[in-house]
Amino acid sequence: MSLSRTHPGLPVALVALGVAAFLPSLVQNTYVVSVAMQVEILMCLALGLNFVVGLCGMLDLGFAAFFAIGSYTTGLLSVDLHWPILATVPIAVVASLIGAVFIGTPTLRLRSDYLAVITLGFGEIIQNIATNLNQTGGPEGISGIAPLSLAGLTITSTAGYFYVFLVLTVLFTWVSYRVRRSRLGRAWLAIREDEDTAQAMGIKVYRFKLYAYMAGSVYGSITGSLYGAAFIAIAPPSFGFNESLLVVMAVAMGGIGSIWGALLGAGVVIASPEIFRQFASARLLVFGVLLVLIMVLRPQGMWPETGLGLERRARSLARSVRGFARSSTHRSGEGAP
């Protein structure tokens, strides 16, 4: 069995990874590299939300809350206590897990719209806390966050953080793939497809929902910690409902539950407005029309769980070509004297 069949997204992923590895040296443009880094950040967040929405089937509209918890935990420890960035990451993860358990324990028994409203409220609460507390810098946020240091090397350039988030994206993708194929991932998929049947089969639905929520919070907090180091300063507007909506859009457009779809959706959500910048003030309108067209023409997502079906389409095309060749040969044989 070929590797491309067992891992259908791997060939495309390897090509994309190869292009990304040389992107800063190829484009020689800080702005393009910065946009590419933002794509990677959204990819990391989309992979985290994919645990909650894609695999477990829960609608989370406040995922940016964990992004904010990670960023502010790192920012406060770095600025006030002068901790190195890497030392703050475990604390940020613990803080996000506490937040996930705190909000998830009483609410994850809810379903559908009720859960969406609760998670939306949680996201707004975290943003308002960051805005109104003096300890978090208020509306101005936190500035002067220390840069990331790895093995004695201090990363200060945009290209450097581009590679940091590239490594993080690859790591998150690998972990997501392994989890999806594990017993935990199969339990999440069973809950997504039919929660009552999963409960009847002995799956602890409430417990596994909480696991999914916690897994997503870990991805969000780690991404947030490195985000603060990359941009030196953070502020509450970066962690509002709009950010949560972008993550949801990336997962939905790419394909609910699809790891490769989440990555592709994040790329489209961030890159499309930049590509349409030539339309000036109308670029968001053009972007909106594009989103509508994608969801109408590809309601299952651009890269659904079942894959792109390229091999199936290629086989179908080959059969059509062979059939056309046979019919042409048959007609030419009949017309010969």
Side-chain angles (χ1 to χ4, degrees):
M1 183 176 292
S2 65
L3 189 62
S4 61
R5 290 188 178 183
T6 56
H7 306 275
L10 187 59
V12 178
L14 291 177
V15 172
L17 180 60
V19 173
F22 295 99
L23 182 65
S25 58
L26 289 175
V27 298
Q28 295 290 324
N29 188 316
T30 304
Y31 175 74
V32 174
V33 176
S34 176
V35 172
M37 183 180 70
Q38 294 177 45
V39 170
E40 293 168 343
I41 292 172
L42 189 60
M43 284 180 174
C44 294
L45 295 175
L47 289 172
L49 186 64
N50 197 48
F51 286 138
V52 182
V53 176
L55 298 187
C56 206
M58 300 182 292
L59 182 56
D60 185 354
L61 297 180
F63 190 72
F66 302 115
F67 187 41
I69 290 174
S71 292
Y72 272 93
T73 301
T74 292
L76 290 172
L77 293 175
S78 172
V79 174
D80 295 343
L81 301 180
H82 308 290
W83 283 30
I85 297 299
L86 287 182
T88 69
V89 173
I91 308 301
V93 169
V94 172
S96 69
L97 288 174
I98 293 174
V101 172
F102 176 77
I103 193 65
T105 299
T107 62
L108 290 183
R109 299 183 189 278
L110 301 175
R111 301 186 185 183
S112 175
D113 300 339
Y114 301 102
L115 180 60
V117 171
I118 293 295
T119 56
L120 174 61
F122 176 59
E124 293 299 309
I125 289 172
I126 295 298
Q127 186 186 27
N128 281 315
I129 289 175
T131 302
N132 294 301
L133 279 183
N134 293 328
Q135 289 82 355
T136 58
E140 289 79 20
I142 301 173
S143 59
I145 300 175
L148 177 65
S149 295
L150 293 171
L153 176 65
T154 301
I155 302 175
T156 57
S157 65
T158 302
Y161 283 105
F162 168 83
Y163 285 114
V164 169
F165 283 107
L166 179 61
V167 172
L168 189 66
T169 302
V170 172
L171 176 62
F172 280 3
T173 302
W174 178 78
V175 172
S176 297
Y177 183 79
R178 298 292 297 177
V179 169
R180 192 185 191 283
R181 295 171 65 90
S182 68
R183 181 181 178 184
L184 177 62
R186 291 192 293 270
W188 286 341
L189 291 173
I191 294 171
R192 184 191 71 183
E193 296 302 322
D194 194 322
E195 188 172 321
D196 295 327
T197 302
Q199 182 77 47
M201 293 174 62
I203 297 175
K204 305 296 184 181
V205 172
Y206 170 71
R207 182 186 303 173
F208 279 96
K209 278 186 173 182
L210 186 59
Y211 290 162
Y213 203 56
M214 293 169 67
S217 73
V218 171
Y219 274 34
S221 64
I222 294 175
T223 307
S225 293
L226 298 181
Y227 173 88
F231 288 90
I232 304 175
I234 55 175
S238 300
F239 311 102
F241 174 67
N242 288 340
E243 188 67 27
S244 295
L245 187 60
L246 286 178
V247 185
V248 173
M249 287 170 54
V251 174
M253 288 177 57
I256 298 294
S258 171
I259 295 173
W260 308 114
L263 299 175
L264 179 60
V268 171
V269 167
I270 296 296
S272 295
E274 301 302 325
I275 295 174
F276 298 140
R277 188 171 288 275
Q278 58 181 320
F279 294 100
S281 58
R283 68 189 180 102
L284 292 181
L285 175 62
V286 177
F287 176 52
V289 172
L290 174 65
L291 296 184
V292 172
L293 289 176
I294 291 175
M295 298 311 297
V296 169
L297 299 177
R298 296 280 294 181
Q300 74 274 29
M302 294 180 292
W303 195 325
E305 285 184 291
T306 54
L308 295 175
L310 296 180
E311 292 186 2
R312 183 176 65 255
R313 295 178 185 179
R315 289 193 296 268
S316 177
L317 179 61
R319 286 194 297 268
S320 300
V321 170
R322 288 195 296 268
F324 177 77
R326 284 195 296 267
S327 62
S328 299
T329 303
H330 180 70
R331 287 196 300 268
S332 62
E334 290 180 346

